[in-house]
Amino acid sequence: MSELARESSTRPFVRRGSFLPFALPTIDEEDVDEVVDVLRSGWLTSGPQIQKFEREFSTEVGATAALALSSGTAAMHVALSALDVPAGKAVITTPMTFCSTAHVIEQIGCRPLFVDVEPDTLNLEPAGVRRALDEYGDEVAAILPVHYAGHPVELDQFLEMGRSHRIPVVEDAAHAFGAAFRDVAIGEVSGQDQRAVCFSLYATKNITSGEGGVLTGSEALVQTSRLWSLHGMSRDSWQRYGPRGSWDYEVLMPGFKYNMSDIQAALAATQLRRWRSFQRTRTAIAARYTALLADIDEVETPIRRPHVTHAWHLYPLRLHLPALTIDRAEFVEQLRLRNIGTSVHFIPLHTQPYYRDRYGFERDDFPVAAAEFDRMFSLPIYPRMSPGDVDDVVAAVRDVVAANRRRS
Ligand SMILES: *Cc1c(COP(=O)(O)O)cnc(C)c1O
């Protein structure tokens, strides 16, 4: 059916004047000026801007050290390498994540050992992970939980499992910059050598450098990760070509090329300075959605456990499908026709052709992830949205529900 035919075949509906994108970065003149200054400075690759950004980032999250990288994916790949996770083992993770969480496990020669998620937070379920550790024992070489949507996992339990099984815990904190678990910021790591926290500064994330990532960990882990991130060379280019540089270096391991540029670091640093205001707006938008959607029985709003600070990277809504005559795909389509952009986080990894075929997964091997996927989609949530934008989204959701309610 064409869009026009579809529109004329349904009753008149609420439609905002212009398309509201699912995500937009918040870039202001300060960001632009800082980047232009770097372009004019003559030093573009990793140098003084990186050093400054890494210091400011580690201070902000309360980590002893931070390493700026080319992406969040690079941060996880480097972390698993620096932590010496041996090839041929299993790494426990969630199917409810972006594909790169599992890809890095494959890339170090291991296999992802998926464990199903909790129905409320959609985070990796601690009891399931404990069962997997009992069942697979020494085969498991690491745990890689994801702070889904910006709601922290039950971190104390995963860190305890890591300690008692003597295996590292690498956190995918791509959504969780600004989040906290029991008043401890996600990323706050000091003396724990068997732990790394990996952030993404991708364009849609809570703070951005266009593309980028940050790893936090102990001083020792960050040092080793730094080597892994830049060809395994004992001196980076600032240490070779900078004012006090020396041409000499040693190659200590077959490292990656995952460093961040000074251009990106300048943007990352100005974004970092504004994160609290970004965070306040995200939290206010989430609260407004939750309040305004509360009376619509056909949708379920996301929860926040009382002991966490939610980063509100995503606002995943879930449909009560038996009460509707349409499925999630059609719901999303009807929102698009009303000029509201949405997305879905995530298509469970065990249903993706690569993982499904390689490991022979069935859809219902992880029943919570599979069932919740069928009824979920994410509403726009970013600091540039006005209260009016939020109201438009709510009006559109209300209208789609009203047009497609199942009559009993
Ligand atoms: C964005 C994202 C990543 C990847 O981050 P990049 O910086 O794009 O590499 C990893 N995991 C999750 C859950 C993400 O949302």
Side-chain angles (χ1 to χ4, degrees):
M1 204 193 304
S2 77
E3 273 188 34
L4 268 180
R6 188 196 298 271
E7 292 191 32
S8 57
S9 72
T10 54
R11 64 190 186 80
F13 56 70
V14 174
R15 184 167 193 259
R16 62 177 253 145
S18 63
F19 184 69
L20 180 72
F22 170 67
L24 278 178
T26 310
I27 301 294
D28 72 7
E29 286 310 306
E30 187 196 355
D31 295 312
V32 173
D33 291 346
E34 292 281 331
V35 171
V36 170
D37 285 350
V38 174
L39 291 174
R40 295 209 160 102
S41 75
W43 191 276
L44 304 185
T45 185
S46 317
Q49 298 294 328
I50 290 286
Q51 295 179 352
K52 183 160 155 268
F53 170 65
E54 287 177 347
R55 264 197 316 275
E56 291 173 358
F57 192 95
S58 52
T59 304
E60 208 57 68
V61 300
T64 36
L67 173 65
L69 293 156
S70 55
S71 70
T73 306
M76 293 190 284
H77 195 188
V78 159
L80 293 170
S81 307
L83 287 162
D84 265 328
V85 175
K89 299 280 194 172
V91 175
I92 292 176
T93 194
T94 165
M96 189 56 82
T97 185
F98 183 61
C99 58
S100 76
T101 315
H103 287 357
V104 294
I105 296 170
E106 296 271 320
Q107 286 158 5
I108 59 159
C110 290
R111 68 187 163 90
L113 179 52
F114 292 125
V115 168
D116 209 355
V117 294
E118 304 169 328
D120 55 351
T121 62
L122 302 178
N123 272 327
L124 203 50
E125 190 200 29
V129 173
R130 216 167 274 126
R131 276 196 302 276
L133 284 167
D134 287 345
E135 186 178 345
Y136 291 90
D138 289 348
E139 262 184 80
V140 181
I143 310 174
L144 209 175
V146 178
H147 302 296
Y148 173 84
H151 189 298
V153 296
E154 290 300 321
L155 192 53
D156 47 3
Q157 298 192 49
F158 291 111
L159 294 177
E160 173 50 32
M161 287 182 233
R163 272 193 298 273
S164 58
H165 287 80
R166 297 178 206 288
I167 53 174
V169 176
V170 174
E171 295 160 58
D172 180 340
H175 298 175
F177 179 78
F181 181 78
R182 299 197 191 282
D183 292 324
V184 178
I186 297 302
E188 180 174 337
V189 185
S190 50
Q192 304 139 287
D193 275 332
Q194 290 299 298
R195 186 174 169 206
V197 185
C198 303
F199 296 92
S200 168
L201 306 188
Y202 181 68
T204 58
K205 300 287 156 74
N206 288 23
I207 59 169
T208 185
S209 52
E211 296 281 359
V214 183
L215 179 159
T216 66
S218 70
E219 192 72 53
L221 181 74
V222 166
Q223 252 177 45
T224 312
S225 300
R226 196 179 293 284
L227 287 173
W228 273 107
S229 73
L230 198 61
H231 308 301
M233 287 168 68
S234 62
R235 279 200 179 91
D236 66 19
S237 59
W238 182 249
Q239 290 165 324
R240 283 179 289 128
Y241 303 117
R244 282 184 292 280
S246 156
W247 57 267
D248 192 23
Y249 61 85
E250 289 180 304
V251 173
L252 304 172
M253 58 259 257
F256 311 112
K257 180 62 162 72
Y258 280 164
N259 58 309
M260 179 190 272
S261 75
D262 260 26
I263 308 171
Q264 292 165 307
L267 178 53
T270 52
Q271 292 266 305
L272 184 65
R273 261 168 249 151
R274 308 211 298 293
W275 82 266
R276 279 177 205 281
S277 111
F278 292 171
Q279 182 66 35
R280 264 195 304 277
T281 316
R282 285 182 177 275
T283 307
I285 293 169
R288 192 174 180 94
Y289 274 144
T290 299
L292 296 176
L293 294 166
D295 66 328
I296 309 179
D297 292 339
E298 292 80 0
V299 302
E300 251 172 63
T301 55
I303 62 116
R304 178 185 64 81
R305 292 194 179 152
H307 55 284
V308 310
T309 304
H310 200 314
W312 291 112
H313 172 60
L314 299 174
Y315 191 94
L317 200 64
R318 283 182 264 179
L319 298 173
H320 186 44
L321 290 174
L324 294 165
T325 57
I326 54 172
D327 63 9
R328 181 269 319 277
E330 181 60 22
F331 202 102
V332 162
E333 175 60 12
Q334 293 209 15
L335 285 175
R336 195 186 62 79
L337 292 174
R338 286 162 176 80
N339 266 337
I340 304 298
T342 59
S343 189
V344 173
H345 300 88
F346 291 94
I347 305 168
L349 289 186
H350 71 284
T351 69
Q352 291 288 8
Y354 174 78
Y355 290 102
R356 183 194 62 208
D357 298 346
R358 181 168 170 81
Y359 299 107
F361 290 128
E362 307 277 347
R363 179 187 176 282
D364 285 333
D365 285 348
F366 307 98
V368 179
E372 297 310 307
F373 163 68
D374 283 347
R375 64 192 196 101
M376 64 159 59
F377 63 95
S378 305
L379 296 181
I381 182 166
Y382 45 95
R384 279 173 64 180
M385 285 176 72
S386 67
D389 291 334
V390 176
D391 294 350
D392 287 348
V393 174
V394 172
V397 168
R398 195 177 289 284
D399 194 48
V400 174
V401 167
N404 300 284
R405 191 170 273 135
R406 189 180 293 283
R407 273 155 252 287
S408 45

